[in-house]
mmCIF file of all heavy atoms in Angstrom:
data_model
loop_
_atom_site.group_PDB
_atom_site.id
_atom_site.type_symbol
_atom_site.label_atom_id
_atom_site.label_comp_id
_atom_site.label_asym_id
_atom_site.label_seq_id
_atom_site.Cartn_x
_atom_site.Cartn_y
_atom_site.Cartn_z
ATOM 1 N N TYR U 69 -16.403 3.826 5.733
ATOM 2 C CA TYR U 69 -15.107 3.175 5.853
ATOM 3 C C TYR U 69 -15.138 1.831 5.144
ATOM 4 O O TYR U 69 -16.182 1.184 5.068
ATOM 5 C CB TYR U 69 -14.761 2.984 7.330
ATOM 6 C CG TYR U 69 -13.339 2.502 7.564
ATOM 7 C CD1 TYR U 69 -12.274 3.380 7.487
ATOM 8 C CD2 TYR U 69 -13.094 1.174 7.848
ATOM 9 C CE1 TYR U 69 -10.978 2.937 7.699
ATOM 10 C CE2 TYR U 69 -11.797 0.718 8.068
ATOM 11 C CZ TYR U 69 -10.745 1.609 7.986
ATOM 12 O OH TYR U 69 -9.469 1.163 8.182
ATOM 13 N N ALA U 70 -13.988 1.406 4.627
ATOM 14 C CA ALA U 70 -13.908 0.131 3.919
ATOM 15 C C ALA U 70 -14.354 -1.009 4.825
ATOM 16 O O ALA U 70 -14.168 -0.974 6.043
ATOM 17 C CB ALA U 70 -12.481 -0.117 3.432
ATOM 18 N N LEU U 71 -14.936 -2.016 4.223
ATOM 19 C CA LEU U 71 -15.491 -3.145 4.979
ATOM 20 C C LEU U 71 -14.417 -3.944 5.696
ATOM 21 O O LEU U 71 -13.267 -4.004 5.245
ATOM 22 C CB LEU U 71 -16.207 -4.094 4.018
ATOM 23 C CG LEU U 71 -17.500 -3.590 3.397
ATOM 24 C CD1 LEU U 71 -17.968 -4.585 2.370
ATOM 25 C CD2 LEU U 71 -18.547 -3.382 4.453
ATOM 26 N N PRO U 72 -14.766 -4.572 6.802
ATOM 27 C CA PRO U 72 -13.842 -5.524 7.413
ATOM 28 C C PRO U 72 -13.544 -6.665 6.453
ATOM 29 O O PRO U 72 -14.354 -7.006 5.600
ATOM 30 C CB PRO U 72 -14.615 -6.025 8.646
ATOM 31 C CG PRO U 72 -16.030 -5.637 8.432
ATOM 32 C CD PRO U 72 -16.012 -4.446 7.543
ATOM 33 N N ALA U 73 -12.377 -7.235 6.604
ATOM 34 C CA ALA U 73 -11.918 -8.240 5.646
ATOM 35 C C ALA U 73 -12.887 -9.394 5.503
ATOM 36 O O ALA U 73 -13.086 -9.931 4.421
ATOM 37 C CB ALA U 73 -10.542 -8.761 6.073
ATOM 38 N N SER U 74 -13.532 -9.787 6.609
ATOM 39 C CA SER U 74 -14.429 -10.936 6.557
ATOM 40 C C SER U 74 -15.631 -10.674 5.660
ATOM 41 O O SER U 74 -16.233 -11.599 5.137
ATOM 42 C CB SER U 74 -14.912 -11.283 7.966
ATOM 43 O OG SER U 74 -15.611 -10.187 8.526
ATOM 44 N N VAL U 75 -15.993 -9.393 5.461
ATOM 45 C CA VAL U 75 -17.110 -9.045 4.595
ATOM 46 C C VAL U 75 -16.610 -8.595 3.235
ATOM 47 O O VAL U 75 -17.205 -8.896 2.200
ATOM 48 C CB VAL U 75 -17.980 -7.951 5.246
ATOM 49 C CG1 VAL U 75 -19.066 -7.479 4.287
ATOM 50 C CG2 VAL U 75 -18.598 -8.484 6.526
ATOM 51 N N ALA U 76 -15.497 -7.875 3.223
ATOM 52 C CA ALA U 76 -14.967 -7.362 1.963
ATOM 53 C C ALA U 76 -14.627 -8.482 0.990
ATOM 54 O O ALA U 76 -14.663 -8.304 -0.215
ATOM 55 C CB ALA U 76 -13.735 -6.516 2.217
ATOM 56 N N GLY U 77 -14.307 -9.661 1.507
ATOM 57 C CA GLY U 77 -13.978 -10.775 0.635
ATOM 58 C C GLY U 77 -15.184 -11.440 0.015
ATOM 59 O O GLY U 77 -15.037 -12.332 -0.821
ATOM 60 N N LYS U 78 -16.366 -11.046 0.428
ATOM 61 C CA LYS U 78 -17.588 -11.636 -0.097
ATOM 62 C C LYS U 78 -18.135 -10.803 -1.252
ATOM 63 O O LYS U 78 -18.127 -9.582 -1.210
ATOM 64 C CB LYS U 78 -18.659 -11.721 1.000
ATOM 65 C CG LYS U 78 -18.266 -12.577 2.189
ATOM 66 C CD LYS U 78 -18.235 -14.049 1.839
ATOM 67 C CE LYS U 78 -18.021 -14.891 3.094
ATOM 68 N NZ LYS U 78 -17.984 -16.335 2.782
ATOM 69 N N LYS U 79 -18.647 -11.482 -2.268
ATOM 70 C CA LYS U 79 -19.293 -10.793 -3.380
ATOM 71 C C LYS U 79 -20.773 -10.607 -3.078
ATOM 72 O O LYS U 79 -21.340 -11.284 -2.229
ATOM 73 C CB LYS U 79 -19.135 -11.616 -4.669
ATOM 74 C CG LYS U 79 -17.703 -11.783 -5.134
ATOM 75 C CD LYS U 79 -17.648 -12.528 -6.465
ATOM 76 C CE LYS U 79 -18.154 -13.958 -6.327
ATOM 77 N NZ LYS U 79 -18.018 -14.724 -7.590
ATOM 78 N N VAL U 80 -21.376 -9.657 -3.804
ATOM 79 C CA VAL U 80 -22.815 -9.442 -3.730
ATOM 80 C C VAL U 80 -23.414 -9.747 -5.095
ATOM 81 O O VAL U 80 -22.932 -9.262 -6.115
ATOM 82 C CB VAL U 80 -23.152 -7.991 -3.325
ATOM 83 C CG1 VAL U 80 -24.627 -7.685 -3.558
ATOM 84 C CG2 VAL U 80 -22.776 -7.753 -1.865
ATOM 85 N N MET U 81 -24.430 -10.588 -5.102
ATOM 86 C CA MET U 81 -25.119 -10.901 -6.352
ATOM 87 C C MET U 81 -26.281 -9.941 -6.544
ATOM 88 O O MET U 81 -27.093 -9.752 -5.639
ATOM 89 C CB MET U 81 -25.646 -12.343 -6.333
ATOM 90 C CG MET U 81 -26.363 -12.740 -7.643
ATOM 91 S SD MET U 81 -27.124 -14.406 -7.566
ATOM 92 C CE MET U 81 -25.659 -15.436 -7.498
ATOM 93 N N LEU U 82 -26.341 -9.323 -7.708
ATOM 94 C CA LEU U 82 -27.459 -8.462 -8.067
ATOM 95 C C LEU U 82 -28.315 -9.197 -9.085
ATOM 96 O O LEU U 82 -27.881 -9.457 -10.208
ATOM 97 C CB LEU U 82 -26.974 -7.144 -8.654
ATOM 98 C CG LEU U 82 -28.057 -6.243 -9.249
ATOM 99 C CD1 LEU U 82 -29.063 -5.816 -8.185
ATOM 100 C CD2 LEU U 82 -27.443 -5.036 -9.934
ATOM 101 N N VAL U 83 -29.534 -9.540 -8.689
ATOM 102 C CA VAL U 83 -30.478 -10.226 -9.570
ATOM 103 C C VAL U 83 -31.447 -9.180 -10.120
ATOM 104 O O VAL U 83 -32.141 -8.507 -9.357
ATOM 105 C CB VAL U 83 -31.243 -11.324 -8.810
ATOM 106 C CG1 VAL U 83 -32.272 -11.970 -9.722
ATOM 107 C CG2 VAL U 83 -30.273 -12.362 -8.258
ATOM 108 N N ALA U 84 -31.479 -9.026 -11.433
ATOM 109 C CA ALA U 84 -32.346 -8.036 -12.072
ATOM 110 C C ALA U 84 -33.358 -8.743 -12.956
ATOM 111 O O ALA U 84 -33.001 -9.584 -13.788
ATOM 112 C CB ALA U 84 -31.520 -7.051 -12.903
ATOM 113 N N SER U 85 -34.633 -8.411 -12.770
ATOM 114 C CA SER U 85 -35.691 -9.047 -13.545
ATOM 115 C C SER U 85 -35.662 -8.604 -14.998
ATOM 116 O O SER U 85 -35.036 -7.602 -15.361
ATOM 117 C CB SER U 85 -37.055 -8.688 -12.950
ATOM 118 O OG SER U 85 -37.345 -7.318 -13.198
ATOM 119 N N GLY U 86 -36.376 -9.347 -15.828
ATOM 120 C CA GLY U 86 -36.522 -8.941 -17.226
ATOM 121 C C GLY U 86 -37.138 -7.570 -17.348
ATOM 122 O O GLY U 86 -36.738 -6.759 -18.193
ATOM 123 N N ALA U 87 -38.106 -7.264 -16.466
ATOM 124 C CA ALA U 87 -38.744 -5.941 -16.488
ATOM 125 C C ALA U 87 -37.728 -4.848 -16.199
ATOM 126 O O ALA U 87 -37.744 -3.777 -16.823
ATOM 127 C CB ALA U 87 -39.879 -5.888 -15.467
ATOM 128 N N ALA U 88 -36.822 -5.110 -15.247
ATOM 129 C CA ALA U 88 -35.795 -4.113 -14.922
ATOM 130 C C ALA U 88 -34.864 -3.892 -16.103
ATOM 131 O O ALA U 88 -34.480 -2.758 -16.402
ATOM 132 C CB ALA U 88 -34.997 -4.570 -13.699
ATOM 133 N N MET U 89 -34.496 -4.963 -16.801
ATOM 134 C CA MET U 89 -33.563 -4.828 -17.912
ATOM 135 C C MET U 89 -34.214 -4.140 -19.108
ATOM 136 O O MET U 89 -33.570 -3.359 -19.820
ATOM 137 C CB MET U 89 -33.021 -6.206 -18.318
ATOM 138 C CG MET U 89 -32.266 -6.910 -17.200
ATOM 139 S SD MET U 89 -31.066 -5.850 -16.348
ATOM 140 C CE MET U 89 -29.943 -5.467 -17.699
ATOM 141 N N ILE U 90 -35.500 -4.402 -19.343
ATOM 142 C CA ILE U 90 -36.209 -3.686 -20.408
ATOM 143 C C ILE U 90 -36.261 -2.200 -20.076
ATOM 144 O O ILE U 90 -36.019 -1.345 -20.925
ATOM 145 C CB ILE U 90 -37.634 -4.251 -20.584
ATOM 146 C CG1 ILE U 90 -37.564 -5.664 -21.183
ATOM 147 C CG2 ILE U 90 -38.470 -3.341 -21.477
ATOM 148 C CD1 ILE U 90 -38.894 -6.375 -21.218
ATOM 149 N N ASP U 91 -36.542 -1.893 -18.817
ATOM 150 C CA ASP U 91 -36.591 -0.503 -18.393
ATOM 151 C C ASP U 91 -35.225 0.160 -18.535
ATOM 152 O O ASP U 91 -35.122 1.328 -18.870
ATOM 153 C CB ASP U 91 -37.058 -0.408 -16.946
ATOM 154 C CG ASP U 91 -37.064 1.018 -16.434
ATOM 155 O OD1 ASP U 91 -38.063 1.706 -16.687
ATOM 156 O OD2 ASP U 91 -36.069 1.447 -15.825
ATOM 157 N N TYR U 92 -34.166 -0.580 -18.271
ATOM 158 C CA TYR U 92 -32.806 -0.057 -18.388
ATOM 159 C C TYR U 92 -32.575 0.529 -19.781
ATOM 160 O O TYR U 92 -31.970 1.580 -19.939
ATOM 161 C CB TYR U 92 -31.813 -1.199 -18.130
ATOM 162 C CG TYR U 92 -30.362 -0.816 -18.238
ATOM 163 C CD1 TYR U 92 -29.666 -0.380 -17.107
ATOM 164 C CD2 TYR U 92 -29.668 -0.899 -19.436
ATOM 165 C CE1 TYR U 92 -28.326 -0.033 -17.176
ATOM 166 C CE2 TYR U 92 -28.329 -0.556 -19.523
ATOM 167 C CZ TYR U 92 -27.669 -0.121 -18.404
ATOM 168 O OH TYR U 92 -26.343 0.230 -18.485
ATOM 169 N N VAL U 93 -33.093 -0.141 -20.784
ATOM 170 C CA VAL U 93 -32.925 0.313 -22.164
ATOM 171 C C VAL U 93 -33.936 1.393 -22.514
ATOM 172 O O VAL U 93 -33.635 2.357 -23.226
ATOM 173 C CB VAL U 93 -33.067 -0.884 -23.140
ATOM 174 C CG1 VAL U 93 -33.025 -0.412 -24.583
ATOM 175 C CG2 VAL U 93 -31.982 -1.911 -22.864
ATOM 176 N N ARG U 94 -35.150 1.282 -21.989
ATOM 177 C CA ARG U 94 -36.257 2.111 -22.478
ATOM 178 C C ARG U 94 -36.410 3.418 -21.713
ATOM 179 O O ARG U 94 -36.371 4.497 -22.297
ATOM 180 C CB ARG U 94 -37.550 1.305 -22.401
ATOM 181 C CG ARG U 94 -38.762 2.042 -22.917
ATOM 182 C CD ARG U 94 -40.014 1.217 -22.723
ATOM 183 N NE ARG U 94 -39.961 -0.025 -23.475
ATOM 184 C CZ ARG U 94 -40.733 -1.076 -23.229
ATOM 185 N NH1 ARG U 94 -41.610 -1.032 -22.259
ATOM 186 N NH2 ARG U 94 -40.628 -2.172 -23.951
ATOM 187 N N ASN U 95 -36.617 3.340 -20.412
ATOM 188 C CA ASN U 95 -36.980 4.536 -19.650
ATOM 189 C C ASN U 95 -35.897 5.022 -18.697
ATOM 190 O O ASN U 95 -36.021 6.079 -18.110
ATOM 191 C CB ASN U 95 -38.263 4.283 -18.853
ATOM 192 C CG ASN U 95 -39.457 4.081 -19.750
ATOM 193 O OD1 ASN U 95 -39.496 4.590 -20.855
ATOM 194 N ND2 ASN U 95 -40.427 3.317 -19.278
ATOM 195 N N GLN U 96 -34.881 4.231 -18.483
ATOM 196 C CA GLN U 96 -33.696 4.613 -17.714
ATOM 197 C C GLN U 96 -33.883 4.684 -16.198
ATOM 198 O O GLN U 96 -32.947 5.036 -15.494
ATOM 199 C CB GLN U 96 -33.113 5.945 -18.213
ATOM 200 C CG GLN U 96 -32.359 5.840 -19.524
ATOM 201 C CD GLN U 96 -33.288 5.833 -20.731
ATOM 202 O OE1 GLN U 96 -34.042 6.767 -20.922
ATOM 203 N NE2 GLN U 96 -33.222 4.791 -21.524
ATOM 204 N N PHE U 97 -35.069 4.376 -15.661
ATOM 205 C CA PHE U 97 -35.218 4.335 -14.201
ATOM 206 C C PHE U 97 -34.188 3.370 -13.611
ATOM 207 O O PHE U 97 -33.441 3.709 -12.696
ATOM 208 C CB PHE U 97 -36.641 3.893 -13.839
ATOM 209 C CG PHE U 97 -36.953 3.922 -12.367
ATOM 210 C CD1 PHE U 97 -37.706 4.957 -11.832
ATOM 211 C CD2 PHE U 97 -36.527 2.912 -11.520
ATOM 212 C CE1 PHE U 97 -38.009 4.990 -10.467
ATOM 213 C CE2 PHE U 97 -36.812 2.930 -10.164
ATOM 214 C CZ PHE U 97 -37.556 3.981 -9.639
ATOM 215 N N THR U 98 -34.131 2.166 -14.179
ATOM 216 C CA THR U 98 -33.178 1.162 -13.691
ATOM 217 C C THR U 98 -31.745 1.631 -13.863
ATOM 218 O O THR U 98 -30.878 1.366 -13.018
ATOM 219 C CB THR U 98 -33.390 -0.170 -14.424
ATOM 220 O OG1 THR U 98 -34.718 -0.636 -14.168
ATOM 221 C CG2 THR U 98 -32.399 -1.223 -13.961
ATOM 222 N N LEU U 99 -31.475 2.348 -14.948
ATOM 223 C CA LEU U 99 -30.123 2.859 -15.199
ATOM 224 C C LEU U 99 -29.632 3.682 -14.017
ATOM 225 O O LEU U 99 -28.497 3.500 -13.542
ATOM 226 C CB LEU U 99 -30.123 3.709 -16.471
ATOM 227 C CG LEU U 99 -28.860 4.538 -16.742
ATOM 228 C CD1 LEU U 99 -27.671 3.637 -17.016
ATOM 229 C CD2 LEU U 99 -29.090 5.492 -17.908
ATOM 230 N N TYR U 100 -30.466 4.576 -13.514
ATOM 231 C CA TYR U 100 -30.033 5.454 -12.426
ATOM 232 C C TYR U 100 -29.950 4.711 -11.101
ATOM 233 O O TYR U 100 -29.086 5.017 -10.271
ATOM 234 C CB TYR U 100 -30.967 6.661 -12.343
ATOM 235 C CG TYR U 100 -30.948 7.457 -13.618
ATOM 236 C CD1 TYR U 100 -32.073 7.544 -14.433
ATOM 237 C CD2 TYR U 100 -29.774 8.085 -14.046
ATOM 238 C CE1 TYR U 100 -32.036 8.241 -15.632
ATOM 239 C CE2 TYR U 100 -29.738 8.792 -15.237
ATOM 240 C CZ TYR U 100 -30.876 8.865 -16.028
ATOM 241 O OH TYR U 100 -30.824 9.545 -17.214
ATOM 242 N N VAL U 101 -30.806 3.719 -10.889
ATOM 243 C CA VAL U 101 -30.679 2.876 -9.701
ATOM 244 C C VAL U 101 -29.327 2.164 -9.719
ATOM 245 O O VAL U 101 -28.608 2.127 -8.706
ATOM 246 C CB VAL U 101 -31.824 1.852 -9.620
ATOM 247 C CG1 VAL U 101 -31.592 0.884 -8.453
ATOM 248 C CG2 VAL U 101 -33.163 2.555 -9.447
#
Side-chain angles (χ1 to χ4, degrees):
Y69 189 78
L71 290 174
S74 60
V75 174
K78 299 289 188 180
K79 296 184 295 184
V80 167
M81 181 185 292
L82 172 62
V83 177
S85 71
M89 299 313 297
I90 290 172
D91 177 84
Y92 179 91
V93 175
R94 182 184 297 162
N95 294 332
Q96 285 81 59
F97 185 102
T98 299
L99 169 66
Y100 299 114
V101 174

